[in-house]
Coordinates of all heavy atoms in Angstrom, one line a residue:
M145 N 0.9 -1.2 0.0 CA 0.0 0.0 0.0 C 0.9 1.2 0.0 O 1.8 1.3 0.7 CB -0.9 0.0 1.2 CG -1.8 1.2 1.3 SD -3.0 0.9 2.7 CE -2.7 2.3 3.7
T146 N 0.5 2.2 -0.8 CA 1.3 3.4 -0.9 C 0.6 4.5 -0.1 O -0.6 4.5 0.0 CB 1.5 3.9 -2.3 OG1 0.3 4.1 -2.9 CG2 2.3 2.9 -3.1
V147 N 1.4 5.4 0.5 CA 0.9 6.6 1.2 C 1.0 7.8 0.3 O 2.1 8.1 -0.2 CB 1.7 6.8 2.5 CG1 1.2 7.9 3.3 CG2 1.6 5.5 3.4
S148 N -0.1 8.4 0.1 CA -0.1 9.5 -0.8 C 0.4 10.8 -0.1 O 0.3 10.9 1.1 CB -1.5 9.9 -1.3 OG -2.3 10.2 -0.3
E149 N 1.1 11.6 -0.9 CA 1.6 12.9 -0.3 C 0.6 14.0 -0.4 O -0.2 14.1 -1.3 CB 2.9 13.3 -1.1 CG 4.0 12.3 -0.9 CD 5.2 12.8 -1.7 OE1 5.2 14.0 -2.2 OE2 6.2 12.1 -1.7
S150 N 0.6 14.9 0.6 CA -0.2 16.0 0.5 C 0.5 17.0 -0.5 O 1.7 17.3 -0.4 CB -0.2 16.7 1.9 OG -0.6 18.1 1.8
P151 N -0.3 17.5 -1.4 CA 0.3 18.4 -2.4 C 0.8 19.7 -1.7 O 1.7 20.3 -2.2 CB -0.9 18.7 -3.4 CG -1.9 17.6 -3.2 CD -1.7 17.1 -1.7
A152 N 0.2 20.1 -0.7 CA 0.7 21.3 0.0 C 2.0 21.1 0.8 O 2.7 22.1 1.0 CB -0.5 21.7 1.0
S153 N 2.3 19.9 1.2 CA 3.4 19.7 2.0 C 4.0 18.3 1.7 O 3.9 17.4 2.5 CB 3.2 19.8 3.5 OG 4.4 19.7 4.2
P154 N 4.5 18.1 0.4 CA 5.0 16.8 0.1 C 6.2 16.4 1.0 O 7.0 17.3 1.4 CB 5.4 16.9 -1.3 CG 5.6 18.4 -1.6 CD 4.7 19.0 -0.6
R155 N 6.4 15.1 1.2 CA 7.4 14.6 2.1 C 8.8 15.0 1.7 O 9.7 15.2 2.5 CB 7.4 13.1 2.2 CG 6.3 12.7 3.3 CD 6.2 11.3 3.3 NE 5.6 10.8 2.0 CZ 5.5 9.5 1.7 NH1 5.9 8.6 2.5 NH2 5.0 9.1 0.5
W156 N 9.1 15.1 0.3 CA 10.4 15.5 -0.1 C 10.9 16.8 0.4 O 12.1 17.0 0.7 CB 10.6 15.4 -1.6 CG 9.8 16.4 -2.4 CD1 8.5 16.3 -2.9 CD2 10.2 17.8 -2.7 NE1 8.1 17.4 -3.5 CE2 9.1 18.3 -3.4 CE3 11.3 18.5 -2.4 CZ2 9.1 19.7 -3.8 CZ3 11.3 19.8 -2.9 CH2 10.3 20.4 -3.6
R157 N 9.9 17.7 0.7 CA 10.3 19.0 1.2 C 11.0 18.9 2.6 O 11.7 19.8 3.0 CB 9.1 19.9 1.3 CG 8.7 20.4 -0.1 CD 7.6 21.4 0.0 NE 7.1 21.8 -1.3 CZ 6.1 22.5 -1.6 NH1 5.3 22.9 -0.6 NH2 5.7 22.8 -2.8
T158 N 10.7 17.9 3.3 CA 11.3 17.8 4.7 C 12.8 17.5 4.6 O 13.5 17.8 5.5 CB 10.6 16.7 5.5 OG1 10.8 15.5 4.9 CG2 9.1 17.0 5.7
A159 N 13.2 16.9 3.4 CA 14.6 16.7 3.2 C 15.4 17.8 2.5 O 16.6 17.8 2.3 CB 14.8 15.4 2.4
A160 N 14.6 18.9 2.1 CA 15.2 20.0 1.4 C 16.2 20.8 2.2 O 16.1 21.0 3.4 CB 14.1 21.0 1.0
A161 N 17.4 21.0 1.6 CA 18.4 21.8 2.3 C 18.0 23.2 2.7 O 18.6 23.8 3.5 CB 19.7 21.8 1.4
C162 N 17.0 23.7 2.0 CA 16.5 25.1 2.3 C 15.4 25.1 3.3 O 14.9 26.2 3.6 CB 16.0 25.7 1.0 SG 14.6 25.0 0.3
A163 N 15.0 23.9 3.8 CA 14.0 23.9 4.9 C 14.3 24.8 6.0 O 15.5 24.8 6.5 CB 13.8 22.5 5.4
G164 N 13.5 25.7 6.4 CA 13.7 26.6 7.4 C 14.2 28.0 7.0 O 14.1 29.0 7.8
L165 N 14.5 28.1 5.7 CA 14.8 29.4 5.3 C 13.5 30.3 5.1 O 12.5 29.7 4.7 CB 15.6 29.4 3.9 CG 17.0 28.9 4.0 CD1 17.6 28.8 2.6 CD2 17.9 29.8 4.9
P166 N 13.6 31.6 5.3 CA 12.4 32.3 5.1 C 11.9 32.4 3.6 O 12.7 32.3 2.7 CB 12.8 33.7 5.5 CG 14.1 33.6 6.2 CD 14.7 32.3 5.7
P167 N 10.6 32.4 3.4 CA 10.1 32.5 2.0 C 10.6 33.6 1.2 O 10.8 33.4 0.0 CB 8.6 32.6 2.3 CG 8.3 32.2 3.6 CD 9.5 32.4 4.4
Q168 N 10.9 34.7 1.8 CA 11.4 35.8 1.0 C 12.8 35.6 0.5 O 13.2 36.2 -0.6 CB 11.4 37.2 1.8 CG 12.3 37.2 3.0 CD 11.5 36.8 4.3 OE1 10.6 36.0 4.3 NE2 12.0 37.3 5.4
I169 N 13.5 34.6 1.0 CA 14.8 34.2 0.4 C 14.6 33.2 -0.7 O 15.2 33.2 -1.8 CB 15.7 33.6 1.5 CG1 16.2 34.8 2.4 CG2 16.9 32.9 0.9 CD1 17.0 34.3 3.6
I170 N 13.7 32.2 -0.5 CA 13.4 31.2 -1.5 C 12.7 31.7 -2.7 O 13.0 31.3 -3.8 CB 12.6 30.0 -0.8 CG1 13.4 29.3 0.3 CG2 12.2 29.0 -1.9 CD1 12.7 28.4 1.2
F171 N 11.9 32.7 -2.5 CA 11.2 33.3 -3.6 C 11.7 34.7 -4.0 O 11.0 35.4 -4.6 CB 9.7 33.4 -3.2 CG 9.0 32.0 -2.9 CD1 8.7 31.7 -1.6 CD2 8.9 31.1 -3.9 CE1 8.2 30.4 -1.3 CE2 8.4 29.8 -3.7 CZ 8.0 29.5 -2.3
A172 N 13.0 34.9 -3.7 CA 13.6 36.2 -4.0 C 13.7 36.2 -5.6 O 13.7 35.2 -6.3 CB 15.0 36.3 -3.4
R173 N 13.8 37.4 -6.1 CA 13.9 37.6 -7.5 C 15.3 38.0 -8.0 O 15.6 38.1 -9.1 CB 12.9 38.6 -8.0 CG 11.4 38.2 -7.9 CD 10.4 39.2 -8.1 NE 10.5 40.0 -9.3 CZ 9.9 39.6 -10.5 NH1 9.1 38.6 -10.5 NH2 10.1 40.3 -11.6
R174 N 16.1 38.3 -7.0 CA 17.5 38.7 -7.3 C 18.5 37.8 -6.6 O 18.3 37.3 -5.5 CB 17.7 40.2 -6.8 CG 16.9 41.2 -7.5 CD 17.1 42.6 -6.9 NE 16.1 43.5 -7.4 CZ 16.2 44.2 -8.6 NH1 17.2 44.0 -9.3 NH2 15.3 45.0 -8.9
E175 N 19.7 37.6 -7.3 CA 20.7 36.7 -6.8 C 21.1 37.1 -5.4 O 21.3 36.2 -4.5 CB 21.8 36.6 -7.7 CG 22.9 35.6 -7.3 CD 24.0 35.4 -8.3 OE1 24.0 36.0 -9.4 OE2 25.0 34.7 -8.0
A176 N 21.3 38.3 -5.1 CA 21.9 38.8 -3.8 C 20.9 38.3 -2.7 O 21.4 37.8 -1.6 CB 22.0 40.3 -3.8
E177 N 19.6 38.5 -2.9 CA 18.7 38.1 -1.8 C 18.5 36.6 -1.8 O 18.2 36.0 -0.8 CB 17.3 38.7 -2.1 CG 17.3 40.2 -1.8 CD 17.8 41.1 -3.0 OE1 17.7 40.6 -4.1 OE2 18.3 42.2 -2.8
A178 N 18.6 35.9 -2.9 CA 18.4 34.5 -3.1 C 19.6 33.6 -2.6 O 19.5 32.4 -2.6 CB 18.0 34.2 -4.5
R179 N 20.8 34.3 -2.4 CA 22.0 33.5 -2.3 C 21.9 32.4 -1.2 O 22.4 31.3 -1.4 CB 23.2 34.5 -2.0 CG 24.5 33.7 -2.1 CD 25.7 34.7 -2.2 NE 25.7 35.3 -3.5 CZ 25.7 36.6 -3.8 NH1 25.6 37.5 -2.8 NH2 25.7 37.0 -5.0
P180 N 21.3 32.7 0.0 CA 21.3 31.6 1.0 C 20.6 30.3 0.5 O 21.0 29.2 0.7 CB 20.6 32.2 2.2 CG 20.8 33.7 2.0 CD 20.9 33.9 0.6
A181 N 19.5 30.5 -0.3 CA 18.8 29.4 -0.9 C 19.6 28.8 -2.0 O 19.7 27.5 -2.1 CB 17.4 29.8 -1.4
L182 N 20.2 29.6 -2.8 CA 21.1 29.0 -3.9 C 22.2 28.2 -3.3 O 22.5 27.1 -3.8 CB 21.6 30.1 -4.7 CG 20.5 30.8 -5.6 CD1 21.0 32.2 -6.2 CD2 20.1 29.9 -6.8
E183 N 22.8 28.7 -2.2 CA 23.9 28.0 -1.6 C 23.3 26.6 -1.0 O 24.0 25.6 -1.1 CB 24.5 28.7 -0.4 CG 25.3 30.0 -0.9 CD 26.7 29.6 -1.6 OE1 27.1 28.4 -1.5 OE2 27.2 30.5 -2.2
A184 N 22.1 26.6 -0.5 CA 21.5 25.4 0.1 C 21.3 24.4 -1.0 O 21.5 23.2 -0.8 CB 20.2 25.7 0.7
C185 N 21.0 24.8 -2.2 CA 20.8 23.9 -3.4 C 22.0 23.0 -3.7 O 21.9 21.9 -4.1 CB 20.4 24.7 -4.6 SG 18.8 25.5 -4.5
R186 N 23.2 23.6 -3.4 CA 24.4 22.9 -3.7 C 24.5 21.6 -2.9 O 25.3 20.7 -3.3 CB 25.7 23.8 -3.4 CG 25.7 25.0 -4.3 CD 26.8 25.9 -4.0 NE 28.1 25.2 -4.3 CZ 29.3 25.7 -4.2 NH1 29.4 26.9 -3.7 NH2 30.4 25.0 -4.5
R187 N 23.9 21.6 -1.7 CA 24.0 20.3 -0.9 C 22.6 19.7 -0.8 O 22.5 18.8 0.1 CB 24.6 20.6 0.4 CG 23.8 21.6 1.2 CD 24.4 21.9 2.6 NE 23.6 22.7 3.5 CZ 23.2 24.0 3.3 NH1 23.8 24.7 2.4 NH2 22.4 24.5 4.2
C188 N 21.7 20.0 -1.6 CA 20.3 19.5 -1.5 C 20.1 18.1 -2.1 O 20.5 18.0 -3.3 CB 19.3 20.5 -2.1 SG 17.6 20.0 -1.9
P189 N 19.7 17.2 -1.3 CA 19.5 15.8 -1.8 C 18.2 15.7 -2.7 O 18.0 14.6 -3.3 CB 19.4 15.0 -0.6 CG 18.8 15.9 0.4 CD 19.3 17.3 0.1
V190 N 17.4 16.7 -2.7 CA 16.1 16.5 -3.5 C 16.0 17.6 -4.6 O 14.9 18.0 -5.0 CB 14.9 16.6 -2.5 CG1 14.9 15.4 -1.6 CG2 14.9 17.9 -1.7
A191 N 17.2 18.0 -5.1 CA 17.2 19.1 -6.1 C 16.3 18.7 -7.3 O 15.6 19.5 -7.8 CB 18.6 19.5 -6.4
R192 N 16.5 17.5 -7.8 CA 15.8 17.1 -9.0 C 14.3 17.0 -8.7 O 13.5 17.5 -9.5 CB 16.3 15.7 -9.5 CG 15.7 15.3 -10.8 CD 16.5 14.1 -11.4 NE 15.9 13.7 -12.7 CZ 16.1 14.3 -13.8 NH1 16.9 15.4 -13.8 NH2 15.6 13.9 -14.9
R193 N 14.0 16.6 -7.6 CA 12.5 16.5 -7.2 C 11.9 17.9 -7.1 O 10.8 18.1 -7.5 CB 12.4 15.8 -5.9 CG 11.0 15.4 -5.6 CD 10.4 14.3 -6.4 NE 9.0 14.2 -6.3 CZ 8.4 13.4 -5.4 NH1 9.2 12.7 -4.6 NH2 7.1 13.3 -5.3
C194 N 12.7 18.8 -6.6 CA 12.3 20.2 -6.5 C 12.0 20.7 -7.8 O 10.9 21.4 -8.0 CB 13.4 21.0 -5.8 SG 13.1 22.8 -5.7
E195 N 12.9 20.6 -8.8 CA 12.7 21.2 -10.1 C 11.5 20.6 -10.8 O 10.7 21.2 -11.4 CB 13.9 21.1 -10.9 CG 13.8 21.8 -12.3 CD 15.1 21.9 -13.0 OE1 15.9 20.9 -13.1 OE2 15.4 23.0 -13.4
E196 N 11.4 19.2 -10.6 CA 10.2 18.5 -11.3 C 8.9 19.0 -10.7 O 7.9 19.2 -11.4 CB 10.4 17.0 -11.1 CG 11.5 16.4 -11.9 CD 11.7 15.0 -11.4 OE1 11.1 14.5 -10.5 OE2 12.5 14.3 -12.2
S197 N 8.9 19.3 -9.4 CA 7.6 19.7 -8.8 C 7.3 21.1 -9.1 O 6.1 21.5 -9.3 CB 7.7 19.5 -7.2 OG 7.8 18.1 -6.9
V198 N 8.3 21.9 -9.0 CA 8.1 23.4 -9.3 C 7.8 23.6 -10.7 O 6.9 24.5 -11.1 CB 9.3 24.2 -8.8 CG1 9.2 25.7 -9.1 CG2 9.5 24.1 -7.3
A199 N 8.4 22.9 -11.6 CA 8.3 23.1 -13.1 C 8.3 24.7 -13.3 O 7.4 25.2 -13.8 CB 7.0 22.6 -13.6
P200 N 9.5 25.3 -13.1 CA 9.6 26.7 -13.1 C 9.1 27.4 -14.4 O 8.4 28.4 -14.3 CB 11.1 27.0 -12.8 CG 11.6 25.7 -12.2 CD 10.8 24.6 -12.8
A201 N 9.5 26.8 -15.5 CA 9.2 27.5 -16.7 C 7.6 27.4 -17.0 O 7.0 28.5 -17.4 CB 9.9 26.9 -17.9
E202 N 7.1 26.3 -16.7 CA 5.6 26.2 -16.9 C 4.8 26.9 -15.9 O 3.6 27.3 -16.3 CB 5.3 24.7 -16.9 CG 5.8 23.8 -18.0 CD 7.3 23.4 -17.8 OE1 7.8 23.6 -16.7 OE2 8.0 23.1 -18.8
S203 N 5.3 27.1 -14.7 CA 4.5 27.8 -13.7 C 4.9 29.3 -13.5 O 4.3 29.9 -12.6 CB 4.7 27.1 -12.4 OG 6.1 27.2 -11.9
Y204 N 5.7 29.8 -14.4 CA 6.1 31.2 -14.4 C 6.6 31.6 -13.0 O 6.3 32.6 -12.4 CB 4.9 32.1 -14.7 CG 4.4 31.9 -16.1 CD1 3.2 31.1 -16.3 CD2 5.0 32.4 -17.2 CE1 2.8 30.8 -17.6 CE2 4.6 32.1 -18.5 CZ 3.5 31.3 -18.7 OH 3.0 31.1 -19.9
F205 N 7.5 30.7 -12.5 CA 7.9 30.7 -11.1 C 8.9 31.9 -10.9 O 9.7 32.2 -11.7 CB 8.7 29.4 -10.8 CG 9.2 29.2 -9.5 CD1 8.4 29.1 -8.3 CD2 10.6 29.2 -9.3 CE1 8.9 29.0 -7.1 CE2 11.1 29.0 -8.0 CZ 10.3 28.9 -6.9
D206 N 8.8 32.4 -9.7 CA 9.7 33.4 -9.2 C 10.4 32.8 -8.0 O 9.8 32.4 -7.0 CB 9.0 34.7 -8.6 CG 8.6 35.6 -9.8 OD1 9.2 35.6 -10.9 OD2 7.7 36.3 -9.5
G207 N 11.7 32.7 -8.0 CA 12.5 32.1 -6.9 C 13.5 31.1 -7.3 O 13.9 31.0 -8.4
V208 N 13.9 30.4 -6.3 CA 15.0 29.4 -6.4 C 14.5 28.0 -6.5 O 13.6 27.6 -5.7 CB 15.9 29.5 -5.2 CG1 17.1 28.4 -5.2 CG2 16.6 30.9 -5.1
S209 N 15.0 27.2 -7.5 CA 14.7 25.8 -7.6 C 15.9 25.1 -8.2 O 16.4 25.6 -9.3 CB 13.5 25.6 -8.5 OG 13.3 24.2 -8.7
A210 N 16.5 24.1 -7.5 CA 17.6 23.3 -8.1 C 18.8 24.1 -8.5 O 19.4 23.8 -9.5 CB 17.1 22.4 -9.2
G211 N 19.1 25.1 -7.7 CA 20.4 25.8 -7.9 C 20.2 26.8 -9.0 O 21.2 27.4 -9.5
R212 N 19.0 27.1 -9.4 CA 18.8 28.2 -10.4 C 17.8 29.2 -9.9 O 16.9 28.9 -9.1 CB 18.2 27.5 -11.7 CG 19.2 26.5 -12.3 CD 18.6 25.8 -13.5 NE 19.5 24.8 -14.1 CZ 19.4 23.5 -13.9 NH1 18.4 23.1 -13.2 NH2 20.3 22.7 -14.4
L213 N 18.0 30.4 -10.4 CA 17.0 31.5 -10.0 C 16.1 31.7 -11.2 O 16.6 31.9 -12.3 CB 17.8 32.7 -9.6 CG 17.0 33.9 -9.2 CD1 16.1 33.6 -7.9 CD2 17.9 35.1 -8.9
W214 N 14.8 31.8 -10.9 CA 13.8 32.1 -11.9 C 13.1 33.3 -11.7 O 12.8 33.7 -10.5 CB 12.9 30.9 -12.0 CG 13.5 29.6 -12.2 CD1 14.2 28.8 -11.3 CD2 13.6 28.9 -13.5 NE1 14.6 27.7 -12.0 CE2 14.3 27.7 -13.3 CE3 13.1 29.2 -14.8 CZ2 14.5 26.8 -14.3 CZ3 13.4 28.3 -15.8 CH2 14.0 27.1 -15.6
R215 N 12.7 34.0 -12.7 CA 11.9 35.2 -12.6 C 10.9 35.1 -13.7 O 11.2 35.1 -14.9 CB 12.8 36.4 -12.8 CG 12.1 37.7 -12.3 CD 13.0 38.9 -12.4 NE 14.2 38.8 -11.6 CZ 15.4 39.2 -12.1 NH1 15.6 39.8 -13.2 NH2 16.5 39.0 -11.3
N216 N 9.6 35.1 -13.3 CA 8.5 34.9 -14.3 C 8.8 33.7 -15.2 O 8.4 33.7 -16.4 CB 8.3 36.2 -15.2 CG 8.0 37.3 -14.4 OD1 7.2 37.2 -13.4 ND2 8.5 38.5 -14.7
G217 N 9.3 32.6 -14.6 CA 9.5 31.4 -15.4 C 10.7 31.4 -16.3 O 10.8 30.5 -17.1
R218 N 11.5 32.4 -16.2 CA 12.7 32.5 -17.0 C 13.9 32.5 -16.2 O 13.9 33.0 -15.1 CB 12.7 33.8 -17.9 CG 11.4 33.9 -18.7 CD 11.5 35.1 -19.6 NE 12.3 34.7 -20.7 CZ 11.9 34.9 -22.0 NH1 10.9 35.6 -22.2 NH2 12.7 34.5 -23.0
L219 N 14.9 31.8 -16.7 CA 16.2 31.8 -15.9 C 16.9 33.1 -15.8 O 16.9 33.9 -16.8 CB 17.2 30.8 -16.6 CG 16.9 29.3 -16.4 CD1 17.8 28.5 -17.4 CD2 17.2 28.9 -15.0
V220 N 17.4 33.3 -14.6 CA 18.2 34.6 -14.3 C 19.6 34.2 -14.4 O 20.0 33.2 -13.8 CB 17.8 35.1 -12.9 CG1 18.7 36.4 -12.6 CG2 16.3 35.5 -12.9
R221 N 20.4 35.0 -15.1 CA 21.8 34.7 -15.2 C 22.5 35.0 -13.9 O 22.3 36.0 -13.3 CB 22.5 35.7 -16.2 CG 23.9 35.4 -16.4 CD 24.5 36.3 -17.5 NE 24.0 36.0 -18.8 CZ 24.5 35.0 -19.6 NH1 25.7 34.4 -19.2 NH2 24.0 34.7 -20.8
L222 N 23.2 34.0 -13.4 CA 23.8 34.0 -12.1 C 25.3 34.2 -12.2 O 25.9 33.8 -13.1 CB 23.5 32.7 -11.3 CG 22.0 32.4 -11.1 CD1 21.9 31.0 -10.4 CD2 21.4 33.4 -10.2
H223 N 25.9 34.8 -11.1 CA 27.3 35.0 -11.0 C 28.0 33.8 -10.4 O 29.1 33.5 -10.6 CB 27.6 36.3 -10.3 CG 27.2 37.5 -11.0 ND1 26.0 38.1 -10.8 CD2 27.7 38.1 -12.1 CE1 25.8 39.1 -11.6 NE2 26.8 39.1 -12.5
G224 N 27.3 33.1 -9.5 CA 27.8 31.9 -8.8 C 27.3 30.6 -9.4 O 26.4 30.7 -10.3
H225 N 27.9 29.5 -8.9 CA 27.5 28.2 -9.4 C 26.9 27.5 -8.3 O 27.5 27.2 -7.2 CB 28.7 27.4 -9.9 CG 28.4 26.1 -10.4 ND1 27.8 25.8 -11.7 CD2 28.4 24.9 -9.8 CE1 27.6 24.6 -11.8 NE2 28.0 23.9 -10.7
Y226 N 25.6 27.1 -8.4 CA 24.9 26.6 -7.2 C 24.2 25.2 -7.5 O 23.6 24.7 -6.6 CB 23.8 27.6 -6.9 CG 24.3 29.0 -6.6 CD1 24.1 29.9 -7.5 CD2 24.9 29.3 -5.4 CE1 24.5 31.2 -7.3 CE2 25.4 30.6 -5.2 CZ 25.2 31.6 -6.2 OH 25.6 32.8 -6.0
V227 N 24.3 24.6 -8.7 CA 23.6 23.4 -8.9 C 24.2 22.3 -8.1 O 25.4 22.1 -8.0 CB 23.7 23.1 -10.5 CG1 23.1 21.8 -10.8 CG2 23.1 24.2 -11.2
A228 N 23.3 21.5 -7.5 CA 23.7 20.4 -6.7 C 24.4 19.3 -7.5 O 23.8 19.0 -8.6 CB 22.5 19.8 -6.0
P229 N 25.5 18.7 -7.1 CA 26.1 17.6 -7.8 C 25.2 16.5 -8.1 O 25.2 15.9 -9.2 CB 27.3 17.2 -6.9 CG 27.6 18.4 -6.1 CD 26.2 19.1 -5.9
S230 N 24.3 16.2 -7.2 CA 23.4 15.1 -7.4 C 22.4 15.4 -8.5 O 22.0 14.5 -9.3 CB 22.6 14.7 -6.1 OG 21.8 15.9 -5.8
H231 N 22.1 16.7 -8.7 CA 21.2 17.1 -9.8 C 21.9 17.0 -11.1 O 21.4 16.5 -12.1 CB 20.7 18.5 -9.5 CG 19.6 18.9 -10.5 ND1 18.4 18.3 -10.6 CD2 19.7 20.0 -11.4 CE1 17.7 18.9 -11.5 NE2 18.5 19.9 -12.0
V232 N 23.2 17.4 -11.2 CA 24.0 17.3 -12.4 C 24.1 15.8 -12.8 O 23.9 15.4 -14.0 CB 25.4 17.9 -12.2 CG1 26.2 17.6 -13.4 CG2 25.2 19.4 -11.9
A233 N 24.4 14.9 -11.8 CA 24.5 13.5 -12.1 C 23.3 12.9 -12.7 O 23.3 12.0 -13.5 CB 24.9 12.8 -10.9
L234 N 22.1 13.5 -12.3 CA 20.8 12.9 -12.9 C 20.4 13.6 -14.1 O 19.3 13.3 -14.6 CB 19.8 13.1 -11.8 CG 20.0 12.2 -10.6 CD1 19.0 12.5 -9.4 CD2 19.8 10.7 -10.9
G235 N 21.1 14.4 -14.7 CA 20.8 15.0 -16.0 C 20.6 16.5 -16.0 O 20.4 17.1 -17.0
G236 N 20.9 17.1 -14.9 CA 20.8 18.6 -14.8 C 22.0 19.1 -15.5 O 23.0 18.4 -15.8
D237 N 22.1 20.4 -15.8 CA 23.3 21.0 -16.4 C 24.2 21.6 -15.3 O 23.8 21.8 -14.2 CB 22.9 22.0 -17.4 CG 22.4 23.3 -16.8 OD1 23.2 24.1 -16.3 OD2 21.2 23.4 -16.7
A238 N 25.4 21.8 -15.7 CA 26.4 22.4 -14.7 C 26.8 23.8 -15.1 O 27.8 24.2 -14.7 CB 27.6 21.4 -14.7
S239 N 25.8 24.4 -15.8 CA 26.2 25.8 -16.2 C 26.0 26.9 -15.2 O 26.2 28.0 -15.4 CB 25.4 26.1 -17.5 OG 24.0 26.3 -17.1
G240 N 25.4 26.5 -14.0 CA 25.2 27.5 -13.0 C 24.0 28.4 -13.3 O 23.9 29.5 -12.9
G241 N 23.1 27.8 -14.1 CA 21.8 28.6 -14.3 C 21.9 29.3 -15.7 O 21.0 30.1 -15.9
L242 N 22.8 28.9 -16.5 CA 22.8 29.6 -17.8 C 22.1 28.9 -18.9 O 21.9 29.5 -20.0 CB 24.3 29.8 -18.2 CG 25.1 30.6 -17.3 CD1 26.5 30.8 -17.8 CD2 24.5 32.0 -17.1
A243 N 21.6 27.7 -18.6 CA 21.0 26.9 -19.6 C 19.5 27.4 -19.8 O 18.9 27.9 -18.9 CB 21.0 25.4 -19.3
R244 N 19.0 27.1 -21.0 CA 17.6 27.4 -21.2 C 16.8 26.2 -20.9 O 17.2 25.1 -21.2 CB 17.4 27.8 -22.7 CG 18.1 29.1 -23.1 CD 17.1 30.0 -23.7 NE 17.7 31.4 -23.8 CZ 17.4 32.4 -23.0 NH1 16.5 32.1 -22.1 NH2 17.9 33.5 -23.1
P245 N 15.6 26.3 -20.4 CA 14.7 25.2 -20.2 C 14.3 24.6 -21.5 O 14.2 25.3 -22.5 CB 13.5 25.8 -19.5 CG 13.5 27.2 -19.7 CD 14.9 27.6 -20.0
A246 N 14.2 23.3 -21.5 CA 13.8 22.5 -22.7 C 12.4 22.9 -23.2 O 11.6 23.3 -22.4 CB 13.9 21.0 -22.5
Ligands
SF4_5 S1 16.9 22.4 -4.8 FE1 17.2 24.3 -3.6 S2 15.2 25.3 -3.6 FE2 14.9 23.1 -4.1 S3 14.4 22.1 -2.2 FE3 16.6 21.9 -2.6 S4 17.5 23.7 -1.5 FE4 15.4 24.1 -1.7

């Protein structure tokens, strides 16, 4: 028997490296404000799940997901490199947020 997840609070979020950071950091629109969340992404074990769930381009997302900063669903060019190694190994890019969504 499987246990369904609550869409409002899926279990993977409890493992997120950014758990506990204030929403204004996770949903920041500028790299300077988003940096603590972006740094958390580098060690996040659920980065791929985060990006799949948020679907930033499709949801016109503002904020941080999987080491990338999004504004209105478009990638923001970053100065730092924040992509989690686990995300890169699973098919993410290592460009530090410079890639275009598929
Ligand atoms: S990838 Fe980044 S934004 Fe997503 S859950 Fe992990 S730390 Fe948070």
Side-chain angles (χ1 to χ4, degrees):
M145 181 170 121
T146 59
V147 177
S148 62
E149 293 183 8
S150 162
S153 185
R155 280 177 291 172
W156 65 265
R157 287 188 184 167
T158 62
C162 64
L165 288 177
Q168 63 266 30
I169 290 175
I170 295 169
F171 300 109
R173 292 169 55 92
R174 298 178 189 276
E175 183 176 357
E177 290 83 27
R179 190 165 288 124
L182 289 164
E183 291 287 351
C185 294
R186 295 178 66 178
R187 62 182 191 284
C188 185
V190 293
R192 186 166 181 79
R193 189 72 191 271
C194 173
E195 187 168 47
E196 289 171 353
S197 296
V198 173
E202 292 79 18
S203 62
Y204 301 98
F205 182 68
D206 283 335
V208 175
S209 177
R212 300 178 180 101
L213 181 61
W214 299 82
R215 194 178 302 142
N216 297 326
R218 304 187 80 132
L219 281 169
V220 175
R221 181 177 293 271
L222 300 175
H223 296 95
H225 179 82
Y226 306 103
V227 177
S230 62
H231 188 61
V232 174
L234 289 171
D237 72 81
S239 69
L242 300 178
R244 295 233 169 258

